[in-house]
Amino acid sequence: MAYFTQQLINAITLGAIYGLIAIGYTMVYGIIGMINFAHGEVFMIGAFISLIGFIICGSLGISSAPIAIVLVLLLAMCFSAVYGWAIERTAYRPLRGSFRLAPLISAIGVSIALQNYVQLAQGARPKPGGQVVSGGFNLFSADGFDVRVTWLQIIIVLVTVVLMAGFTWVIAKTSLGRQQRACEQDMKMAALLGVNVDRTISLTFVLGAALAAVAGMLFLMYYGVIDFFIGFLAGIKAFTAAVLGGIGSLPGAMLGGLLIGLIEVFWAGYFSSEYKDVAAFAILVLVLIFRPSGLLGKPEIEKV
Amino acid sequence: MTAPQVTEPLIEVEHLTMRFGGLVAIDDVSFTARSHSITAVIGPNGAGKTTVFNCITGFYKPTIGRLTLRGAGGEFLLERMRGHEIGQKARVARTFQNIRLFPGMTVLENLMVAQHNKLMRASGWSLLGLLGAASFQRAEAAAVELARLWLERIGLVADADRPAGELPYGAQRRLEIARAMCTEPVLLCLDEPAAGLNPRESAELNQLLVSIRDRDGIGVLLIEHDMSVVMNISDHIVVLDYGRKIAEGDPLAVRSDPAVIRAYLGTDEEAIDG
């Protein structure tokens, strides 16, 4: 029981990070119907900017962890948002209206370009992040096993919940969210009603990138080590999460992230940690076969 | 039906020609439509009615011809403007043959999206709005008020929070018109608004269109097959056949025009009376 609880706590933490990345996939898919394969790289860049941010904070002598975290969070979100915006503007928008595969190929190109850019600029060796937040407390002990919750885990889950709630509110209640949903449902009609479609699409990328940057920072703090390649695996897993939850669905992405986190951690905890990625991707295959629209997605009905 | 002749032409279509390769979809069509009046464009299938609409609303660039709109904001040459400018600056709104509401959004949200330019201007592009600036909240309240007004006029106040896709067909048609009206247009182009409506819904639509003409005073341009709609509410009718204008005039004149009768059915007159 104690072991199970511990795994559950770890899984929720990991799931939160996946969920944050998955939102970017699902939003972009919802509005322009493409899988933004460069999204994982935006997450990776977010992690690197966070690392740089923490180092800057350190050299400026900001020793208070909460202040440093908030500063770095804002820094990473802003910079990554610019990346997200620039990627859309340069690699996808010129291809809008082109054949369906074109932006997808472009996305893969952007992904490789960004990986190589970070590899060149930051070096290929893994970078240690150092510990910003340490400590935690014992939840309970049983069977000679301590169930431990770290402060960091609490921060991760808290930040994620707050951001997801805020994001859901923006989409559901604000004028911005309304135009976003309108574009998602009928882009041409939205344009005819005076909605600036290009700007709305840019905004989607900006928001998705900002959330991915937060995930990057949390990842850096949680694992303590990053390299230029982390975006690939985390990106694919978050994509799996988005598909599992139903791509295009916002709560689906959050739920999917959580589930992928659970699957991965429990597989590693009870079976074998080498095969945890296999387990996660096996789920992707199964979902695609048996429920292509995902858990919360709506099946696409084609009118004849 | 007395006032219309006094007003200035709202839109002047002059020598409009649209060719798609070798196919001439519209051939030298000229007509005018006025404010405070309903102008119907009718004709058999394939006569080029929707193409005329697509030229006016910027979906197509006409091959030849001039489309002049004289609205509240000044004079616009529509054929030179880009699609979204025609909606925003020249203030032309349109609906489509098939219903194109945002089905997953609520009825109220559909009307709010249409007013979103106003809201964006008031919010100083979004961030202020998100932070709850007073100017934005006033604009939002005004937008909700306008939406409520239109919901009252189309009889859907009680359904404001339902997803638009759940409404009955006739209500969706009316909502679509209300949504177009929420953009505060000077010219409203309706492509077959009565298609698929039952007689009762059709009568409600007539009332709505007449009230838009009389209360809002804008110009309505209407493509319609349902002659009970066309003949009852139109002030002016333009008849197209094979891309050419074959007749023009008030309902009475058009109804008895021999060219129109020939185009529709050969000789028998009754079918137009429908």
Side-chain angles (χ1 to χ4, degrees):
Chain A
M1 186 59 205
Y3 186 63
F4 177 85
T5 313
Q6 182 67 68
Q7 296 299 339
L8 190 66
I9 291 164
N10 296 348
I12 290 170
T13 315
L14 189 63
I17 295 177
Y18 287 149
L20 280 176
I21 312 176
I23 288 175
Y25 279 105
T26 226
M27 296 276 300
V28 166
Y29 182 84
I31 197 161
I32 54 174
M34 73 165 276
I35 306 294
N36 177 16
F37 278 116
H39 192 59
E41 264 51 62
V42 174
F43 155 80
M44 178 266 292
I45 283 173
F48 268 92
I49 293 169
S50 306
L51 178 59
I52 295 166
F54 279 124
I55 292 170
I56 292 174
C57 279
S59 65
L60 289 178
I62 298 169
S63 54
S64 150
I67 294 175
I69 288 174
V70 170
L71 283 178
V72 170
L73 196 68
L74 291 176
L75 184 82
M77 282 173 94
C78 290
F79 269 89
S80 300
V82 173
Y83 270 94
W85 178 84
I87 290 170
E88 193 274 334
R89 190 71 193 77
T90 55
Y92 304 151
R93 192 183 293 181
L95 295 174
R96 205 170 299 151
S98 170
F99 66 107
R100 245 180 116 76
L101 275 179
L104 212 66
I105 296 164
S106 178
I108 292 171
V110 170
S111 161
I112 294 171
L114 287 178
Q115 270 179 30
N116 286 317
Y117 156 64
V118 174
Q119 184 182 8
L120 276 175
Q122 299 291 327
R125 256 177 291 166
K127 301 231 175 268
Q131 222 170 16
V132 185
V133 180
S134 55
F137 57 90
N138 284 345
L139 206 59
F140 63 88
S141 298
D143 324 322
F145 188 90
D146 293 339
V147 177
R148 201 168 161 72
V149 183
T150 62
W151 296 117
L152 185 57
Q153 283 176 321
I154 290 176
I155 289 174
I156 289 175
V157 172
L158 215 63
V159 167
T160 305
V161 167
V162 166
L163 278 174
M164 282 181 176
F167 192 69
T168 309
W169 175 78
V170 167
I171 294 297
K173 294 283 179 216
T174 66
S175 179
L176 270 170
R178 271 201 301 269
Q179 64 177 294
Q180 212 275 342
R181 283 178 293 146
C183 287
E184 211 173 294
Q185 291 180 26
D186 190 338
M187 207 177 274
K188 211 157 189 182
M189 194 65 227
L192 214 58
L193 292 171
V195 174
N196 189 334
V197 173
D198 280 340
R199 202 157 58 184
T200 308
I201 292 174
S202 288
L203 185 82
T204 306
F205 275 84
V206 163
L207 289 176
L211 291 184
V214 176
M217 185 192 88
L218 299 177
F219 183 94
L220 170 73
M221 287 163 63
Y222 196 49
Y223 288 99
V225 106
I226 54 172
D227 62 47
F228 69 95
F229 205 60
I230 56 166
F232 177 73
L233 202 58
I236 297 275
K237 278 194 192 139
F239 169 61
T240 306
V243 173
L244 176 61
I247 194 141
S249 151
L250 198 54
M254 302 173 190
L255 177 70
L258 194 61
L259 286 177
I260 289 291
L262 285 170
I263 291 161
E264 201 181 305
V265 168
F266 276 99
W267 189 277
Y270 285 98
F271 299 106
S272 94
S273 63
E274 280 101 71
Y275 286 102
K276 67 182 165 71
D277 296 345
V278 175
F281 295 129
I283 295 295
L284 175 64
V285 174
L286 290 177
V287 169
L288 286 176
I289 293 172
F290 293 108
R291 203 177 155 80
S293 56
L295 295 174
L296 299 183
K298 284 179 220 98
E300 252 177 58
I301 301 163
E302 223 161 278
K303 278 191 183 156
V304 188
Chain B
M1 291 229 208
T2 44
Q5 298 312 319
V6 214
T7 52
E8 285 291 296
L10 174 64
I11 181 166
E12 264 182 276
V13 176
E14 295 165 275
H15 305 292
L16 181 66
T17 300
M18 183 77 213
R19 293 196 201 99
F20 298 100
L23 176 82
V24 183
I26 314 174
D27 188 9
D28 196 21
V29 168
S30 303
F31 65 90
T32 60
R34 293 165 190 280
S35 295
H36 294 283
S37 81
I38 297 175
T39 307
V41 179
I42 64 170
N45 287 328
K49 306 179 295 284
T50 300
T51 311
V52 170
F53 264 36
N54 283 341
C55 288
I56 291 175
T57 49
F59 275 66
Y60 298 153
K61 281 253 168 295
T63 318
I64 304 174
R66 191 158 74 166
L67 304 160
T68 320
L69 182 101
R70 292 191 188 83
E75 193 174 295
F76 300 96
L77 293 175
L78 298 183
E79 80 277 7
R80 296 195 187 163
M81 298 172 79
R82 288 189 300 167
H84 68 270
E85 288 180 338
I86 291 180
Q88 274 178 25
K89 294 195 187 138
R91 309 255 290 278
V92 177
R94 85 171 281 184
T95 64
F96 292 85
Q97 279 178 34
N98 48 339
I99 289 178
R100 287 180 73 172
L101 290 168
F102 304 116
M105 298 171 77
T106 67
V107 169
L108 179 64
E109 282 176 336
N110 265 277
L111 297 182
M112 295 294 283
V113 168
Q115 301 182 62
H116 130 114
N117 269 317
K118 242 183 333 188
L119 288 175
M120 279 293 134
R121 236 174 290 134
S123 71
W125 199 170
S126 77
L127 267 180
L128 277 174
L130 286 183
L131 300 176
S135 67
F136 178 77
Q137 289 190 337
R138 268 198 304 278
E140 175 110 346
V144 172
E145 186 52 33
L146 181 65
R148 204 181 58 83
L149 200 81
W150 276 102
L151 288 178
E152 269 168 19
R153 286 177 71 171
I154 61 173
L156 290 178
V157 178
D159 299 299
D161 291 324
R162 275 174 74 185
E166 280 182 9
L167 294 179
Y169 193 79
Q172 291 197 17
R173 282 274 179 211
R174 292 203 303 279
L175 178 59
E176 215 179 15
I177 293 170
R179 185 179 63 178
M181 287 304 292
C182 277
T183 63
E184 300 179 334
V186 295
L187 177 66
L188 177 64
C189 302
L190 304 172
D191 197 345
E192 296 199 29
L197 298 188
N198 63 35
R200 196 175 56 84
E201 291 171 328
S202 202
E204 285 172 350
L205 177 77
N206 279 2
Q207 274 179 12
L208 177 63
L209 295 184
V210 167
S211 97
I212 286 173
R213 175 189 64 192
D214 296 342
R215 269 174 70 179
D216 303 279
I218 67 165
V220 178
L221 202 55
L222 178 73
I223 293 179
E224 192 47 72
H225 279 300
D226 186 336
M227 287 301 149
S228 72
V229 174
V230 172
M231 293 299 166
N232 277 329
I233 64 171
S234 304
D235 301 300
H236 190 74
I237 298 178
V238 177
V239 190
L240 301 182
D241 191 24
Y242 294 110
R244 290 166 178 278
K245 185 174 79 177
I246 56 168
E248 184 176 13
D250 60 40
L252 223 63
V254 163
R255 195 192 281 245
S256 53
D257 190 306
V260 177
I261 297 166
R262 214 177 310 120
Y264 264 90
L265 34 93
T267 45
D268 194 80
E269 195 173 341
E270 304 221 330
I272 321 180
D273 290 34

